[in-house]
Amino acid sequence: GTARVHAFPIAALLGGSGRIGNQTRVAHPGWSRSSCGAIELDASTAPTLRWVLRLGKVATDVQSIAFAIGSMGDGPLATAVRMELRCDGLAIARTEFSAEMLAPYGATILLHIYRHQNGWKARADGTGFCATEHDNGFIPLLQHLGVNPMSLST
């Protein structure tokens, strides 16, 4: 049979170490808003992933924000992913990641927003986490960000 795979978006507020310091500093389908309200996943826009970012609510110890996508299931993502990022009410990024780009990986960091001097900058990332015989790549992504996989139950 065909493996059931669906996209699982996650955004994480990262400290200076490049990892989250608190498991509530994430947003994903099971926890749509970070505890501080700085990042939120708007599920009403499916299949487009719409992230809402409120920079005024980002804690001063947060150095960057990672937006990633992983596959939940027994294989890599097989469909394109559309993403939109709204920051303080303005659409600042709209993009589509093809299935071909995402196929080699079970999880990919798509975008980083990071502090630069007295403001913020954005950069496309593309860091992929490959599937192994025991994992589809999503767990290594979570470990890289410092996210406890057990905190993601939906």
Side-chain angles (χ1 to χ4, degrees), residues 18-34:
R19 298 166 60 87
I20 66 169
N22 180 318
Q23 295 300 313
T24 64
R25 286 187 162 186
V26 297
H28 55 78
W31 184 274
S32 65
R33 181 184 294 195
S34 62

Side-chain angles (χ1 to χ4, degrees), residues 81-120:
V81 173
R82 289 189 302 276
M83 184 177 124
E84 177 181 302
L85 177 61
R86 297 187 66 79
C87 181
D88 296 332
L90 300 172
I92 63 167
R94 284 189 186 112
T95 191
E96 184 167 320
F97 299 90
S98 70
E100 292 77 23
M101 181 191 136
L102 298 172
Y105 308 109
T108 303
I109 298 174
L110 304 173
L111 179 71
H112 260 103
I113 306 288
Y114 61 96
R115 290 190 191 271
H116 180 74
Q117 297 176 352
N118 292 325
W120 292 87

Side-chain angles (χ1 to χ4, degrees), residues 3-154:
R4 289 181 42 105
V5 177
H6 66 275
F8 191 95
I10 186 167
L13 298 159
L14 307 173
S17 66
R19 298 166 60 87
I20 66 169
N22 180 318
Q23 295 300 313
T24 64
R25 286 187 162 186
V26 297
H28 55 78
W31 184 274
S32 65
R33 181 184 294 195
S34 62
S35 61
C36 62
I39 49 175
E40 183 175 356
L41 175 62
D42 181 354
S44 70
T45 61
T48 299
L49 305 174
R50 179 179 290 160
W51 291 102
V52 177
L53 175 59
R54 297 171 188 90
L55 291 175
K57 294 189 175 201
V58 175
T60 57
D61 65 324
V62 171
Q63 296 302 306
S64 66
I65 305 159
F67 296 88
I69 190 84
S71 62
M72 297 293 281
D74 297 326
L77 292 169
T79 60
V81 173
R82 289 189 302 276
M83 184 177 124
E84 177 181 302
L85 177 61
R86 297 187 66 79
C87 181
D88 296 332
L90 300 172
I92 63 167
R94 284 189 186 112
T95 191
E96 184 167 320
F97 299 90
S98 70
E100 292 77 23
M101 181 191 136
L102 298 172
Y105 308 109
T108 303
I109 298 174
L110 304 173
L111 179 71
H112 260 103
I113 306 288
Y114 61 96
R115 290 190 191 271
H116 180 74
Q117 297 176 352
N118 292 325
W120 292 87
K121 285 196 168 192
R123 68 174 165 82
D125 192 308
T127 301
F129 297 82
C130 294
T132 67
E133 67 178 282
H134 302 292
D135 178 79
N136 65 5
F138 194 53
I139 299 297
L141 164 72
L142 298 176
Q143 292 169 338
H144 176 78
L145 297 174
V147 176
N148 177 353
M150 299 306 290
S151 71
L152 299 183
S153 58
T154 58

